[in-house]
């Protein structure tokens, strides 16, 4: 009870901060209901974008004005950031909260509407677009072809913030499917409004990954060839139906009907990534299953594409005793963030049928290409009741969705310096690079910093580091984003070709011999040898020393060799003892 009270107090306090800008790197959970009244399907409710840290701490609750959502529906509210992470297209209906979802007998019906936001927050609507009557909406029963059950499920914004793709279901192919809308940036007038997919109407949520448009579909049993579970468009970014062929991904889970041996699957939100340099395009997929099909009661599935283009199941995440357990969480929303080492952190929304609540969960996949064991799920948030509904999930506008891509990192010996060069791609929200060096391969220290160009395209950087060591040194890059998160490059060794320098005095020597040398970084050892190579005396010293004294009083007159081992490099000189 105390936890619930604290949660509600924090929520009420943040309601006063409406209009606050988004903070990059945080989560946005789409919500309807505020736990004060029953939330029902068919009744419009206010849409909230609840902003949380990735550890589940509430930052702010942003209230959407100008449109509402179907409060109890779990088939809408899935909004994906533009691929560059800058814009979010929020979808709903041009109605008032509390009104019923109904058919109009005299006019336009409940019109679907989309508003685009950037990092400045929901108080600053960058673009707004209202769909024609009947498209993704209840429509007008007096107009032929308009239906009662069309709805707008999900959107993905375009990189320039002037448009979006929208997806949703309908029994009429004219009013559902995938639509492309692009507004003129300077005037705000509509340039393009196009239904890019006209064959399959019951689609769900579009997503753009590495420049390619995909969509999920409500085709659990996959009863016919045209049904889409997770489809790829023949044109990467289609803007008209002529260029928008759509087909399922290759693989048993996507293109084989249940009656023919395929598995039941009902995908909502999904995340894709390009993890392999040897396979073209996206090659890793994480997909939620809302558990609405017989024999498959909810989970998250991971697939990896092979060289033949087939998507193969690697593991399944579920919370019950098996896939057919009716108590499994019903996963719907999903968003992920990749780092440069092929690790991905994912966040999901789900309905808990046992406790009649909603959850936000988190898990890590440490190696997208290779891992096949299902990782553990961590619960970040639990709603206070069934009237506090978590729907889709996204990152805040201004977040970095794709990692900085380090194309190359090379080091080489160049005169008295080490030359370091590296090439990058996809610099989005990248702050700087730090060059670190280690003399033992374990403990690294900062040598220099390079500011990131933080723009699209390829960039090449170079810098030099003075060779003030002997033997082997180890270098790595620390790549730091604007929000402070960072990743490391692989470690690169380099061998010093510079011989250590030391001097002996006095020479000839009577009693004490002073050996002066450059500052030791790790270890030094000095040996006094007879002319036939026998070790007569020795002395060692540690880091930071620059001179060593050896007492030679006990040695008889004659010639001797002083052998120095300085930071792994060996050099010797001759002395005369008086």
């Amino acid at each position: 009870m105390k936890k619930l009270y604290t949660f509600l107090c924090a929520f009420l306090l943040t309601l006063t901060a409406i209009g606050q800008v988004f903070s990059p790197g945080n989560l946005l959970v789409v919500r309807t209901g505020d736990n004060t009244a029953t939330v029902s399907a068919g009744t419009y409710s206010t849409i909230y974008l609840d902003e949380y840290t990735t550890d589940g701490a509430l930052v702010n609750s942003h209230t959407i004005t100008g449109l509402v959502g179907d409060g109890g529906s779990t088939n809408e509210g899935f909004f994906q950031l533009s691929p560059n992470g800058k814009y979010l297209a929020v979808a709903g209906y041009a109605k008032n909260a509390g009104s019923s979802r109904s058919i109009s007998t005299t006019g336009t019906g409940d019109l679907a509407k989309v508003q685009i936001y950037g990092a400045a927050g929901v108080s600053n609507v960058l673009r707004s677009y209202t769909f024609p009557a009947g498209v993704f909406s209840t429509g007008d029963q007096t107009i032929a072809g308009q239906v009662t059950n069309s709805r707008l499920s999900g959107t993905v914004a375009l990189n320039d913030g002037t448009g979006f793709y929208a997806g949703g279901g309908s029994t009429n192919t004219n009013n559902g499917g995938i639509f492309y809308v692009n507004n003129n940036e300077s005037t705000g007038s509509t340039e393009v409004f196009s239904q890019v997919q006209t064959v399959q109407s019951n689609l769900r949520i579009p997503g753009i990954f590495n420049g390619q448009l995909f969509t999920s579909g409500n085709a659990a049993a996959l009863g016919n060839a045209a049904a889409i579970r997770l489809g790829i468009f023949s044109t990467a970014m289609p803007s008209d139906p002529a260029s928008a062929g759509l087909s399922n991904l290759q693989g048993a889970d996507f293109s084989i009907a249940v009656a023919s041996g395929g598995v039941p699957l009902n995908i909502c939100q999904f995340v894709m990534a390009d993890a392999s340099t040897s396979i073209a395009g996206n090659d890793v997929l994480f997909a939620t299953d809302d558990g609405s099909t017989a024999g498959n009661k909810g989970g998250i599935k991971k697939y990896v594409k092979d060289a033949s283009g087939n998507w193969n199941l690697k593991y399944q995440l579920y919370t019950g005793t098996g896939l057919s357990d009716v108590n499994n969480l019903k996963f719907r929303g999903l968003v992920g963030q990749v780092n440069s080492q092929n690790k991905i952190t994912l966040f999901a929304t789900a309905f808990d049928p046992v406790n009649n609540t909603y959850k936000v969960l988190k898990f890590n996949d440490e190696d997208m290409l290779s891992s096949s064991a299902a990782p553990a799920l961590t619960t970040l948030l639990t709603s206070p009741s069934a009237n506090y509904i978590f729907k889709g999930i996204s990152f805040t506008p201004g977040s970095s969705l794709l990692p900085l891509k380090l194309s190359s990192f090379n080091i080489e010996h160049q005169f008295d310096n080490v030359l370091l060069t590296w090439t990058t791609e996809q610099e989005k929200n990248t702050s700087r690079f730090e060059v670190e060096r280690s003399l033992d391969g374990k403990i690294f220290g900062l040598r220099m910093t390079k500011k990131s160009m933080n723009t699209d395209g390829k960039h090449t950087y170079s810098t030099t580091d003075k060779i003030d060591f002997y033997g082997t040194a180890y270098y790595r890059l620390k790549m730091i984003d604007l929000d402070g998160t960072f990743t490391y490059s692989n470690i690169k060794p380099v061998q010093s070709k510079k011989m250590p320098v030391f001097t002996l005095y006095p020479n000839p020597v009577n009693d004490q011999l002073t050996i002066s040398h450059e500052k030791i970084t790790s270890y030094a050892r000095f040996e006094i040898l007879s002319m036939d190579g026998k070790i007569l005396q020795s002395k060692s010293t540690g880091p930071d020393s620059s001179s060593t004294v050896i007492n030679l009083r006990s040695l008889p007159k004659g010639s001797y060799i002083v052998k120095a081992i300085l930071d792994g490099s060996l050099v010797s000189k001759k002395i005369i003892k008086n």
Side-chain angles (χ1 to χ4, degrees), residues 68-367:
V68 293
D70 187 335
S73 172
T74 55
N75 291 319
E76 59 181 59
F78 301 96
F79 315 136
Q80 314 236 56
L81 278 181
S82 57
N84 60 8
K86 292 182 178 181
Y87 304 103
L88 184 71
V90 176
Y93 305 92
K95 297 286 286 186
N96 295 319
S99 59
S100 297
R101 181 177 170 86
S102 60
I103 309 166
S104 171
T105 59
T106 58
T108 59
D110 299 350
L111 300 181
K113 185 177 180 181
V114 173
Q115 295 176 169
I116 298 177
Y117 303 98
V122 298
S123 61
N124 184 17
V125 179
L126 302 179
R127 291 287 183 276
S128 179
Y129 184 79
T130 302
F131 283 90
V135 177
F136 296 133
S137 62
T138 56
D140 182 348
Q141 68 176 5
T142 65
I143 301 175
Q146 291 196 10
V147 294
T148 63
N149 62 345
S150 299
R151 69 172 64 249
L152 208 172
S153 294
T155 59
V156 57
L158 302 180
N159 273 341
D160 60 2
T162 64
F164 56 89
Y165 288 98
S170 171
T171 55
N172 186 318
T173 57
N174 294 323
N175 298 336
I178 299 295
F179 281 79
Y180 170 80
V181 178
N182 194 353
N183 289 353
N184 183 284
E185 187 170 3
S186 60
T187 66
S189 62
T190 302
E191 279 188 329
V192 179
F193 171 71
S194 176
Q195 185 185 25
V196 297
Q197 214 290 320
T198 59
V199 176
Q200 181 62 233
S201 64
N202 206 22
L203 301 179
R204 277 183 165 175
I205 303 156
I208 302 170
F209 298 95
N210 294 297
Q212 173 67 55
L213 180 67
F214 300 85
T215 183
S216 58
N218 186 9
L222 201 66
N224 60 77
I228 295 296
R229 284 180 168 178
L230 208 157
I232 181 172
F233 285 86
S234 56
T235 300
M237 297 285 286
S239 59
D240 63 80
S243 62
L246 180 64
S247 59
N248 274 301
L249 299 183
Q250 290 180 222
D253 280 18
F254 307 105
S255 54
I256 298 178
V258 174
S260 301
V263 299
L265 185 64
N266 214 19
I267 295 174
C268 289
Q269 245 176 321
F270 56 98
V271 173
M272 305 185 82
D274 182 3
S276 173
T277 57
S278 60
I279 296 176
N282 297 284
D283 44 46
V284 178
L285 164 67
F286 297 88
T288 61
D289 186 347
D290 67 7
S292 59
T293 58
N296 200 30
K297 296 304 179 183
I300 299 174
K301 296 190 174 187
K302 173 190 173 180
Y303 302 86
V304 175
K305 186 172 70 173
D306 62 25
S308 300
N310 291 310
W311 291 85
N312 303 301
L313 179 66
K314 289 297 181 179
Y315 61 69
Q316 306 176 86
L317 277 170
Y318 49 84
T319 55
T321 58
L323 284 174
S324 60
D325 190 339
V326 295
N327 294 326
N328 283 342
L329 293 181
K330 314 305 180 187
F331 290 93
R332 294 187 174 99
L334 190 67
V335 69
Q337 194 163 36
V338 184
N339 74 14
S340 59
Q341 304 301 314
N342 270 348
K343 172 183 174 180
I344 186 169
T345 301
L346 295 115
F347 303 86
T349 59
F351 173 65
D352 180 352
V354 176
N355 298 297
N356 203 25
T357 57
Y358 294 82
K359 293 180 179 291
V360 175
L361 303 100
K362 173 182 179 179
F363 67 98
N364 293 311
D365 189 303
E366 300 294 335
D367 188 338

Side-chain angles (χ1 to χ4, degrees), residues 30 41 68 71 75 141 153 173 215 275 321 337 385 405 411 470 492 504 520 535 550 559 563-564 572 578:
V30 180
V68 293
N75 291 319
Q141 68 176 5
S153 294
T173 57
T215 183
T321 58
Q337 194 163 36
S385 75
K405 185 175 181 181
I411 63 174
Y470 310 125
K492 298 279 189 174
L504 307 172
I520 300 301
I535 299 175
I550 301 179
S559 296
K563 184 172 76 171
S572 59
N578 288 334

Side-chain angles (χ1 to χ4, degrees), residues 25-28 50-60 347 360 362 380-381 395:
N26 284 337
L27 296 171
L28 278 184
D50 291 339
E51 182 175 352
Y52 295 90
T53 68
T54 53
D55 293 322
L58 182 64
V59 175
N60 193 13
F347 303 86
V360 175
K362 173 182 179 179
L380 295 182
L381 303 166
F395 287 106

